[in-house]
Amino acid sequence: MTDLPPPTMRLRIDSEALAHNWRALHAMSGNARAGAAVKANCYGLGVDRAVPVLREAGCRDFFVAHWCEVPAVLRHVPADRISVLHGPLSAEDVTFARATGVRPVIDSLRQAKLWGDGGGGRCHVMIDTGINRLGIAPADISDPAVQSLEVDVLMSHLACADEDSAMNARQLATFLSCIGGVAHREASLANSAGIALGKEYAFALTRPGLALYGGVPRAELDGAIRQVASPEAALIQVRRLNAGDKVGYNATFTAPAPMKVGVVSLGYADGILRSWAGAHFVSGDDRLPILGRVSMDMIVVDLSEAPDLAEGDWVELPYHLPDAARQTSLSQYELLTVLGHRFG
Ligand SMILES: *Cc1c(COP(=O)(O)O)cnc(C)c1O
């Protein structure tokens, strides 16, 4: 088939910044090593682009949520370095884990039995210390189904690491009280924000996700973490408006005077949700305010500061995650994971 013409939108990934962020989080983890949460397609950035960078930076431990996320990561790292956080729900999951060598995280007594009945082998265990999502209750760790597991990493997950909450210390204390009760090789508690809570939260392995990709969940990480992802798109049309002309669905913007506007080939189908209305794109130092509603495939911007921009020129959406979160009232996690699949 004839080659596809070049795309008019792209997600620029700063690989240097991604590698820097992993190294910074690894260093902040003290004696522990940093792994990487690579679930949800590396929080929307793309496994094929991000996992090799993390691997080359020195990361050895990769966490996904679903079994269906394993094949993409397996193209880049060995099976026994990949962990599936949701654990096995069915005998098919157990068969898949044992056949590939991918490590399940055992999250319940039921999963412990399922894994043992299927033949067992090395696994990780999640203890619930208070988040009440997945994890074995501390009272159940003495159960024979748990005691017979071959546990690599004993882990738990913090509910409020991005806040100065008393719950952090409570979860740490509960985790410490469980650690002697299950034989294991290594322990792991901290996500990105947890790394900033201090050395006692790091254990042997930390599991950052958000901060690898440029998120700053706690002020202590500010300055250490660099922006990784930047949505960019071409202007696919430049138009002149007269005073009184309207823009976009529901005609929510009215031109106060004659003005030049550009149509950016990005929209809410790409994850630039309507909550971006009122923000701006940039071209170098020039600000290009968004006019009217965000459409599915298009956003109209004001070209007053950059009247020389023409059809085919590229503009960028500032995607510094803490700023963007304040502006859109989306979480930094949402801002990454909503990014769509059309980016080139
Ligand atoms: C997603 C996830 C992480 C990573 O959390 P961030 O807040 O993105 O750093 C770590 N551990 C578990 C169990 C997770 O589900």
Side-chain angles (χ1 to χ4, degrees):
M1 204 184 89
T2 316
D3 284 349
L4 214 52
T8 56
M9 52 190 287
R10 62 185 170 227
L11 188 63
R12 187 161 49 79
I13 302 288
D14 185 341
S15 300
E16 267 305 303
L18 176 59
H20 162 91
N21 290 346
W22 184 82
R23 286 193 296 263
L25 292 160
H26 179 64
M28 275 185 264
S29 299
N31 293 329
R33 66 181 188 282
V38 296
K39 58 197 182 191
N41 199 26
C42 289
Y43 290 42
L45 270 53
V47 162
D48 287 338
R49 285 201 277 179
V51 168
V53 174
L54 294 166
R55 183 195 61 209
E56 295 312 309
C59 183
R60 292 198 282 125
D61 308 85
F62 298 86
F63 297 88
V64 295
H66 294 264
W67 295 97
C68 68
E69 296 180 300
V70 167
V73 182
L74 253 185
R75 288 201 289 271
H76 305 289
V77 298
D80 63 352
R81 311 310 314 181
I82 303 173
S83 310
V84 178
L85 291 163
H86 284 187
L89 185 64
S90 65
E92 288 97 317
D93 294 340
V94 171
T95 304
F96 179 81
R98 284 168 51 83
T100 55
V102 170
R103 298 265 192 274
V105 177
I106 301 298
D107 291 306
S108 66
L109 286 184
R110 182 184 162 275
Q111 289 193 350
K113 292 186 187 107
L114 193 65
W115 183 242
D117 291 348
R122 295 250 200 103
C123 63
H124 306 317
V125 164
M126 175 70 76
I127 310 260
D128 174 54
T129 54
I131 195 169
N132 276 302
R133 272 180 350 181
L134 296 176
I136 298 173
D140 288 336
I141 59 176
S142 55
D143 191 288
V146 178
Q147 292 296 319
S148 58
L149 294 172
E150 228 182 295
V151 184
D152 256 0
V153 181
L154 187 68
M155 60 180 89
S156 189
H157 191 53
L158 296 166
C160 311
D162 57 351
E163 297 176 85
D164 291 323
S165 162
M167 186 145 172
N168 294 323
R170 278 205 302 276
Q171 286 195 269
L172 175 61
T174 305
F175 189 51
L176 284 168
S177 75
C178 293
I179 269 188
V182 186
H184 61 279
R185 295 177 178 219
E186 298 183 309
S188 174
L189 177 62
N191 60 347
S192 301
I195 292 171
L197 292 178
K199 281 203 274 299
E200 65 275 33
Y201 287 81
F203 294 89
L205 172 66
T206 60
R207 308 186 306 269
L210 181 73
L212 293 172
Y213 311 115
V216 183
R218 289 189 67 92
E220 294 90 334
L221 296 175
D222 206 14
I225 297 301
R226 284 162 48 181
Q227 184 181 336
V228 176
S230 307
E232 298 177 335
L235 294 178
I236 51 174
Q237 192 166 124
V238 168
R239 311 178 67 86
R240 286 184 185 284
L241 303 186
N242 296 316
D245 282 353
K246 312 281 188 189
V247 170
Y249 283 123
N250 308 109
T252 59
F253 176 79
T254 305
M259 61 193 292
K260 199 172 162 189
V261 304
V263 180
V264 181
S265 66
L266 266 184
Y268 60 74
D270 309 303
I272 314 305
L273 304 187
R274 273 167 48 157
S275 50
W276 279 93
H280 62 271
F281 279 73
V282 293
S283 166
D285 292 334
D286 297 325
R287 288 163 60 100
L288 316 175
I290 293 173
L291 304 176
R293 290 259 153 91
V294 171
S295 300
M296 187 183 294
D297 319 296
M298 284 172 270
I299 297 172
V300 178
V301 296
D302 181 355
L303 298 183
S304 302
E305 274 196 27
D308 294 337
L309 283 179
E311 289 165 6
D313 287 342
W314 286 70
V315 297
E316 177 179 335
L317 183 63
Y319 224 69
H320 176 262
L321 291 169
D323 289 350
R326 276 187 290 274
Q327 193 149 44
T328 60
S329 53
L330 298 171
S331 77
Q332 296 181 54
Y333 294 88
E334 290 169 314
L335 282 164
L336 288 171
T337 56
V338 290
L339 291 171
H341 304 290
R342 286 196 295 199
F343 284 101

